[in-house]
C-alpha cells in the first residue's frame, strides 16, 4: 500500500490535547463521502468519556458540485470502490497513526458510509493495531486484505448499523458485507426500520452501549 495524500494534521479535531491524551485509548472517527471532520465530531459529547476522540478529514477533495467536502476514495461504482484507492486511504491513516507523538493504550475505529468502510478496511489491514470497529451505513470493499486470515482465527468486535431505507449503499455491497462479517468478527448487527442513509437516535444509543462494553472490557483486563 502506498500513500499519495497524507492525513492533514492541522484538520484533525481532538476531544483532548497534550497531557490529557496520555495513557488513554484513542477512538478514530471518519466521516462519509463529501463531508468533513466536524460532521461526526458533533457526536463526541454523546460518546463515552474513556477515549480520546480524533476526527480525521479524508485526504481527497470531493469533486464538484460538492464544496468543502472530502472523500476517502473516489466513487467509481457505488459500494464497489477500486481496491487500490481503498488501500491508499488505509495506508494514509496508518501512517498518521504511526506519527502520533504519543501512542494510545488502544485504538478503536468508528465511521459513517465511506468512513464506515474505512473502519472495516483498517481492521482488515492491521488487526493487531485495533480493538474494534463501528461501521455505520458502510460496507466491506472488494478484494482481500492482509489481515483477513488473522480475523478469521481471532475475530474482533464489530458493530454494524444500517437502515432499511438506505438508498445510497447498493444491495450488492450489503450482501458482500453480510457474507464477510460473521466469519471475521464478533458481530453486533442492528437494522433500523425506515432509516435512510443517516444516523438515528436509536442507533446512536446502540453505538454508545457497544462502546461502553468495549471500554469496560479493556478496563477489566489484568495488567502486568
Amino acid at each position: 500500500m502506498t500513500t499519495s495524500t497524507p492525513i492533514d494534521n492541522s484538520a484533525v479535531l481532538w476531544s483532548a490535547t497534550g497531557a490529557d491524551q496520555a495513557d488513554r485509548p484513542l477512538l478514530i472517527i471518519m466521516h462519509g463521502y463529501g463531508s468533513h471532520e466536524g460532521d461526526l465530531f458533533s457526536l463526541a459529547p454523546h460518546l463515552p468519556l474513556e477515549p480520546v476522540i480524533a476526527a480525521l478529514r479524508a485526504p481527497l477533495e470531493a469533486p464538484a458540485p460538492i464544496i468543502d467536502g472530502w472523500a476517502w476514495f473516489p466513487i467509481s461504482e457505488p459500494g464497489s470502490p477500486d481496491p487500490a484507492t481503498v488501500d491508499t486511504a488505509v495506508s494514509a491513516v496508518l501512517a498518521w497513526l504511526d506519527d502520533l507523538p504519543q501512542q494510545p493504550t488502544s485504538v478503536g475505529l468508528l465511521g459513517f458510509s465511506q468512513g464506515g468502510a474505512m473502519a472495516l478496511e483498517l481492521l482488515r489491514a492491521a488487526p493487531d493495531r485495533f480493538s474494534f470497529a463501528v461501521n455505520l451505513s458502510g460496507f466491506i470493499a472488494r478484494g482481500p486484505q492482509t489481515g483477513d486470515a488473522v480475523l478469521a482465527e481471532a475475530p474482533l468486535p464489530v458493530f454494524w448499523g444500517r437502515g432499511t431505507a438506505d438508498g445510497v449503499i447498493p444491495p450488492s455491497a450489503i450482501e458482500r458485507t453480510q457474507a464477510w462479517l460473521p466469519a471475521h468478527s464478533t458481530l453486533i448487527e442492528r437494522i433500523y426500520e425506515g432509516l435512510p442513509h443517516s444516523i438515528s437516535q436509536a442507533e446512536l444509543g446502540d453505538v454508545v452501549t457497544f462502546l461502553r462494553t468495549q471500554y469496560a472490557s479493556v478496563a477489566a483486563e489484568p495488567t502486568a
Side-chain angles (χ1 to χ4, degrees), residues 154-179:
L156 292 171
V158 170
F159 178 95
W160 180 26
R162 57 189 175 88
T164 61
D166 189 334
V168 174
I169 307 301
S172 59
I174 298 298
E175 291 165 5
R176 185 190 318 125
T177 309
Q178 283 179 318

Side-chain angles (χ1 to χ4, degrees), residues 10 12 16 24-25 27 35-36 43 47 64-65 87-88 97 119-120 126 130 146 154 200-201:
S10 67
V12 179
R24 292 176 64 186
L27 178 62
S35 189
H36 54 82
L43 300 179
L47 301 181
D87 286 350
T88 297
L97 188 58
L120 294 180
F130 303 106
T146 54
S200 67
Q201 283 298 123

Side-chain angles (χ1 to χ4, degrees), residues 73-83 85 114 142:
F73 41 81
I75 291 180
S76 50
E77 178 185 347
S80 296
D82 180 346
T85 65
Q114 264 201 0
R142 294 181 290 118

Side-chain angles (χ1 to χ4, degrees), residues 173-197:
I174 298 298
E175 291 165 5
R176 185 190 318 125
T177 309
Q178 283 179 318
W180 190 91
L181 278 175
H184 297 85
S185 71
T186 53
L187 177 63
I188 294 179
E189 182 180 1
R190 295 287 184 267
I191 303 172
Y192 302 92
E193 186 67 33
L195 180 67
H197 194 63

Side-chain angles (χ1 to χ4, degrees), residues 66-209:
I66 296 173
I67 299 173
D68 295 329
W70 303 84
W72 294 99
F73 41 81
I75 291 180
S76 50
E77 178 185 347
S80 296
D82 180 346
T85 65
V86 176
D87 286 350
T88 297
V90 165
S91 203
V93 175
L94 292 176
W96 172 83
L97 188 58
D98 284 339
D99 288 341
L100 290 179
Q102 51 187 347
Q103 289 297 311
T105 57
S106 66
V107 185
L109 301 160
L110 184 155
F112 173 76
S113 194
Q114 264 201 0
M118 283 294 297
L120 294 180
E121 296 308 307
L122 282 159
L123 201 71
R124 296 175 68 192
D128 58 316
R129 303 193 65 173
F130 303 106
S131 299
F132 61 83
V134 176
N135 165 33
L136 306 178
S137 302
F139 55 89
I140 284 288
R142 294 181 290 118
Q145 276 285 9
T146 54
D148 285 351
V150 173
L151 289 173
E153 291 295 325
L156 292 171
V158 170
F159 178 95
W160 180 26
R162 57 189 175 88
T164 61
D166 189 334
V168 174
I169 307 301
S172 59
I174 298 298
E175 291 165 5
R176 185 190 318 125
T177 309
Q178 283 179 318
W180 190 91
L181 278 175
H184 297 85
S185 71
T186 53
L187 177 63
I188 294 179
E189 182 180 1
R190 295 287 184 267
I191 303 172
Y192 302 92
E193 186 67 33
L195 180 67
H197 194 63
S198 62
I199 301 171
S200 67
Q201 283 298 123
E203 184 174 30
L204 179 57
D206 288 339
V207 169
V208 169
T209 298

